[in-house]
RNA sequence: GGGCGAAUAGCUCAGCGGUUCAGAGCGCCUGCCUUACACGCAGGAUGUCGGGGGUUCGAAUCCCUCUUCGCCCACCA
């Protein structure tokens, strides 16, 4: 059968991948099935668990575009899920999206800004409607992008964090924590983003080292003298309500209890003693601004100092400051304050000072620590079990050292600010009674229209919850919790969480705590934290740097398989993935080329399996009687077995790159380059054993495709379905994982075939050195000290002849002819090829000789020209130089030619 | 300021006490359009395994130190 008409030589995944994905989804192959066939004989170190394999997708922002980090994350997860599914486990991969409060709200606000409107113009209800509309328009895009990568999720269970049932879970958790006093409302210093106009959690306020200044400023004392304080934010001086010194500091001890006069404001402020002050830093005296600094807030609380907020929501100076400062931007005010101090002679000095400045993780604006009313979760009680789970080993991290980070964070955990001054998100389920006599605050699972206490009118809290408050619940809220049901008991707890280290605290740690608190069990046992995608300058890929790679673009140009192969083979545990956004080919052509190689291997094999291939049981052709197998057959079967073990063990240990490379080596180097090349005479009927060769080749190819399927699902599916024994109705995605079979192990075959490979290599080297045309055959004489090898050559010399292109292969004592090329292998095997056979070398010598002769003639002519005094006298300098350069170049060429002739052993 | 990781071919990375551990892919050089594949085939070059010291019969592999890069945490104003 001529397959060429059906299968073009160039593999094109376009369209094919989408079609396959639609089929998979339609056939429900990604849905969990408890009736899956049990795993075959163990091919692994650890037999698969009988529990379902459940994995949770880190929810991308619902309206975002996929970036390469997602490509990496989804590829890894899909490899794991597909591997477990093929091993026969009941698998579930839950996809989902995140409403991403700040980000999504920002997007819609920007759209409004183009219409010249703000969210306040629309009002809350209308604004939220607009956001929903935007989400509905764009939200499915990201899920289709996930599909395009081949991710085998169960779409029936896709969640969105603002869905009704997930929202119910959010309420349940909030109220439950509130009732147990684990949620409280309080006035604290929080990180405020003056651009997004909302509070941020500590994790959302990213600290960046910044080169700043440290201003040393003098405050006059009430009763004479001065005290110097140091600050990085002079504008906050306007809100100072005290000065703190260390109680034991001999320089200042006497001043405690006295007062200073705050310059510019003329406020009388006390000097207090507090342990928090480091006498060694700055001047050893600290200005205290309780409303704008967390440390100062604590000091102020201890000393009973008032708090004066001096800024508006958008970080301009407010009415609490002297009139001339009002309305100024905080950084303008900073300059103004310093200038006035200087004018008053109160500026002592300015030091350069490097310090950490918090910035909004969404818009990079410098956050303003600010006193305000917010909701908090008391974390200590929730954290204790989460720490214990790590310490007793029930929660494990890969790479291991990430666990230490987790533990450190948990140990120093601080209360979580969960309120956000946004409109997009889960509104805090708290109602305030408006009746002045009642004023009751109620947290409720259902909306309230009247105060449960006095039936008076109520008003719901304006704020929404931090997006992560809902995300932390998805391991159980996406399975129907708080309703208890079969889904929940079957799929909770899950197995593995695969995510980027950036959200270890945002998401992972909080899921652990929530799971332990509300489900009384860990949401997963293993946390695999993969690396970050960076460019060749090792910068994180990001939109703002413009160094990103669009995974969909890669899929279009190279195919999802190529993307996945590149990502998986290039990422080892604990390292980052470096890709070049300027040169996609450098990164992704390897994957594309591999897919094309597989395609062509398939084309070749399929063109030879016209009729039914002799069925072979198990993964290995062990039912073929050993006697029928040639050395090459036994070798490839043994290599196949080795690869099954290697790849399986690697997948189990998250060493996905090792797995991918092991299969790659087997398919390309072993199967294609050696085995298939070697058996061609059998396939073409020039030698006996064609049936066996065909069977062995297709069977081992089948095994290798299955091993590769988790990494390259599309090309493997495409080819596998056409292999003998399978139909278009079958799917490799639910085919049995190849079983290891000890009977296929064959150390002797590996060793002996290895010797033949060396032999072939030696002959090929000689051929290359003498520039023998590929079409020409040569005679080789081989003398080996090993009776083993001699026997092999006797029986299987044909394959050496084929691979090294020999016309004859003689065995026996080495021929000591001078006109022959020789090679000696490490084991002492000697190869002799008569020079007469290397006929091309003589032709080449002649050609080189002619060329060299011509060149030498030209050189002597040129030398004569340059030596000619008339030429030297008349020609312009530039021309002389040019002619000299010409001569030098020719001499160099002649040298190269002579060297080439010498290398080929040409006669003089 | 604490804690952690990494430094191996031009690039990205395997190898982490000893039998081919000096490797892979890409890149580079030479020759081939040998009818599965030029997204290919064959051959080839390239590294005192960051510097220094130590442990050992033996170290890229363990220990110390220095240098250089990353990452995490931290209220030093």
């Amino acid at each position: 059968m001529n397959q060429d008409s059906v299968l073009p030589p160039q593999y094109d995944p376009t369209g094919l991948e989408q079609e396959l994905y639609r089929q998979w989804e339609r056939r429900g192959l990604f849905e969990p099935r408890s009736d899956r066939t049990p795993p075959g004989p163990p091919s692994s170190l650890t037999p698969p668990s009988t529990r379902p394999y459940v994995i949770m997708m880190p929810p991308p922002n619902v309206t975002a575009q996929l970036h390469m980090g997602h490509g990496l994350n989804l590829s890894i997860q899909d490899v794991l899920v597909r591997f477990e599914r093929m091993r026969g486990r009941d698998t579930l991969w839950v996809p989902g999206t995140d409403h991403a409060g700040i980000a999504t709200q920002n997007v819609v606000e920007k759209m409004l800004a183009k219409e010249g409107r703000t969210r306040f113009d629309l009002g809350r209800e209308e604004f939220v409607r607009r956001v929903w509309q935007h989400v509905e328009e764009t939200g499915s895009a990201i899920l289709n992008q996930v599909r395009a990568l081949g991710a085998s999720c169960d779409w029936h269970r896709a969640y969105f964090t603002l869905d009704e049932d997930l929202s119910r879970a959010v309420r349940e958790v909030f109220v439950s924590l509130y009732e147990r006093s684990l949620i409280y409302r309080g006035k604290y210093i929080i990180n405020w983003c003056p651009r997004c106009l909302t509070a941020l959690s500590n994790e959302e306020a990213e600290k960046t080292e910044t080169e700043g200044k440290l201003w040393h400023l003098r405050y006059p004392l009430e009763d004479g003298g001065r005290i110097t304080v140091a600050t990085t934010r002079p504008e906050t001086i306007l809100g100072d309500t005290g000065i703190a010194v260390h109680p034991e500091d001999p320089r200042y001890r006497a001043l405690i209890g006295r007062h200073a006069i705050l310059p510019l404001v003329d406020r009388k402020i006390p000097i207090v003693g507090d342990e928090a002050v480091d006498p060694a830093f700055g001047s050893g005296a600290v200005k205290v601004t309780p409303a704008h600094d967390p440390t100062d807030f604590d000091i102020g609380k201890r000393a009973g100092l008032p708090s004066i907020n001096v800024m508006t929501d958008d970080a301009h100076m407010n009415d609490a400051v002297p009139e001339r400062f009002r309305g100024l931007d905080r950084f303008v005010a900073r300059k103004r304050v310093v200038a006035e101090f200087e004018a008053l002679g109160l500026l002592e000095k300015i030091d350069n000072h490097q310090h950490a400045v918090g910035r909004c993780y969404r818009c990079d604006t410098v956050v303003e620590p600010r006193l305000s009313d917010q909701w908090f979760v008391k974390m200590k009680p929730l954290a204790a079990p989460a720490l214990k789970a790590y310490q007793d080993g029930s929660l494990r991290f890969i790479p291991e050292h990430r666990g230490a980070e987790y533990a450190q964070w948990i140990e120093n955990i601080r209360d979580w600010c969960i309120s956000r001054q946004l409109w997009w998100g889960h509104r805090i389920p708290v109602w305030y009674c408006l009746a002045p006599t009642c004023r009751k605050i109620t947290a409720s699972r259902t909306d309230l229209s009247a105060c449960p206490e006095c039936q008076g009118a109520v008003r719901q809290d304006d704020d929404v919850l931090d997006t992560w408050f809902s995300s932390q619940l998805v391991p159980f809220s996406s399975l129907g919790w708080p309703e208890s049901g079969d889904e929940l008991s079957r799929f909770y707890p899950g197995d593995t969480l695969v995510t980027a280290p950036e959200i270890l605290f945002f998401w992972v740690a909080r899921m652990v705590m929530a799971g332990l608190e509300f489900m009384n069990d860990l949401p997963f046992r293993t946390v695999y934290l993969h690396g970050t995608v960076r460019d060749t300058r090792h910068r994180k890929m990001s939109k703002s740097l413009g160094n990103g790679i669009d995974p969909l673009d890669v899929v279009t140009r190279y195919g999802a398989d190529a993307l996945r192969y590149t990502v998986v083979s290039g990422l080892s545990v604990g390292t980052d993935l470096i890709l070049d956004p300027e040169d996609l080919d450098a990164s992704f052509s390897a994957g594309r080329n591999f897919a094309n190689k597989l395609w062509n291997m398939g084309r070749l094999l399929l063109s030879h399996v016209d009729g039914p291939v002799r069925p072979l049981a198990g993964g290995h052709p062990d039912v073929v009687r050993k006697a029928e197998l040639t050395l090459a057959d036994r070798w490839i079967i043994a290599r196949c077995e080795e690869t099954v073990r290697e790849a399986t063990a690697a997948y189990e240990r998250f060493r996905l790159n090792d797995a991918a490379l092991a299969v790659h080596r087997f398919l390309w180097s072993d199967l294609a380059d050696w085995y298939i090349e070697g058996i061609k005479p059998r396939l073409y009927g020039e030698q006996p054993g064609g049936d066996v060769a065909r069977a062995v080749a297709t069977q081992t190819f089948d095994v290798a495709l299955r091993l590769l399927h988790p990494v390259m699902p599309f090309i493997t599916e495409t080819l596998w379905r056409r292999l003998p024994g399978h139909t278009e109705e079958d799917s490799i995605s639910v085919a049995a994982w190849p079983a290891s079979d000890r009977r296929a192990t064959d150390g002797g075959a590996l060793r002996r075939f290895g010797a033949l490979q060396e032999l072939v290599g030696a002959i090929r080297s000689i051929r290359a050195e003498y520039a023998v045309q590929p079409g020409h055959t040569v005679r080789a004489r081989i003398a080996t000290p090993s009776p083993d090898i001699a026997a092999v050559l006797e029986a299987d010399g044909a394959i050496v002849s084929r691979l090294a292109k020999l016309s004859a292969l003689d065995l026996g004592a080495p021929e000591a002819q001078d006109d022959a090329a020789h090679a000696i292998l490490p084991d002492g095997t000697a190869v002799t090829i008569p020079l007469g056979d290397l006929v091309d070398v003589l032709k080449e010598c002649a050609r080189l000789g002619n060329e060299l002769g011509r060149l030498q003639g030209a050189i002597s002519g040129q030398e004569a020209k340059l030596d000619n005094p008339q030429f030297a006298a008349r020609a312009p300098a530039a021309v002389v130089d040019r002619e000299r350069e010409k001569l030098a170049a020719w001499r160099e060429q002649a040298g190269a030619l002579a060297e080439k002739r010498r290398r080929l052993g040409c006669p003089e």
Side-chain angles (χ1 to χ4, degrees), chain A residues 3 30 57 150 209 393 433 468 541 602 668 674 698 859:
Chain A
Q3 294 273 349
F30 303 152
M57 179 184 296
E209 282 300 319
C433 178
W468 299 102
M541 285 192 178
W668 201 317
W674 287 96
T698 47
I859 287 171

Side-chain angles (χ1 to χ4, degrees), chain A residues 165-184:
Chain A
D165 37 350
L166 272 78
S167 300
R168 195 153 52 236
V170 165
R171 284 239 178 144
E172 174 60 36
V173 166
F174 184 96
V175 175
S176 154
L177 290 173
Y178 181 82
E179 285 169 352
R180 284 179 288 154
S181 301
L182 290 171
I183 281 184
Y184 62 92

Side-chain angles (χ1 to χ4, degrees), chain A residues 21 38 50 55 62 130 179 181 206 211 259 262 266 322 330 388 439 456 490 515 550 568 576 618 631 693 749 821 854:
Chain A
Y21 196 93
T50 51
I55 184 165
V62 64
R130 283 287 292 262
E179 285 169 352
S181 301
E206 292 174 342
E211 197 63 55
H259 289 78
L262 184 63
D266 282 337
R330 55 184 162 163
K388 186 170 164 292
R439 291 283 178 200
R490 180 168 159 209
D550 175 4
V568 171
D576 287 338
L631 174 64
R854 257 202 321 276

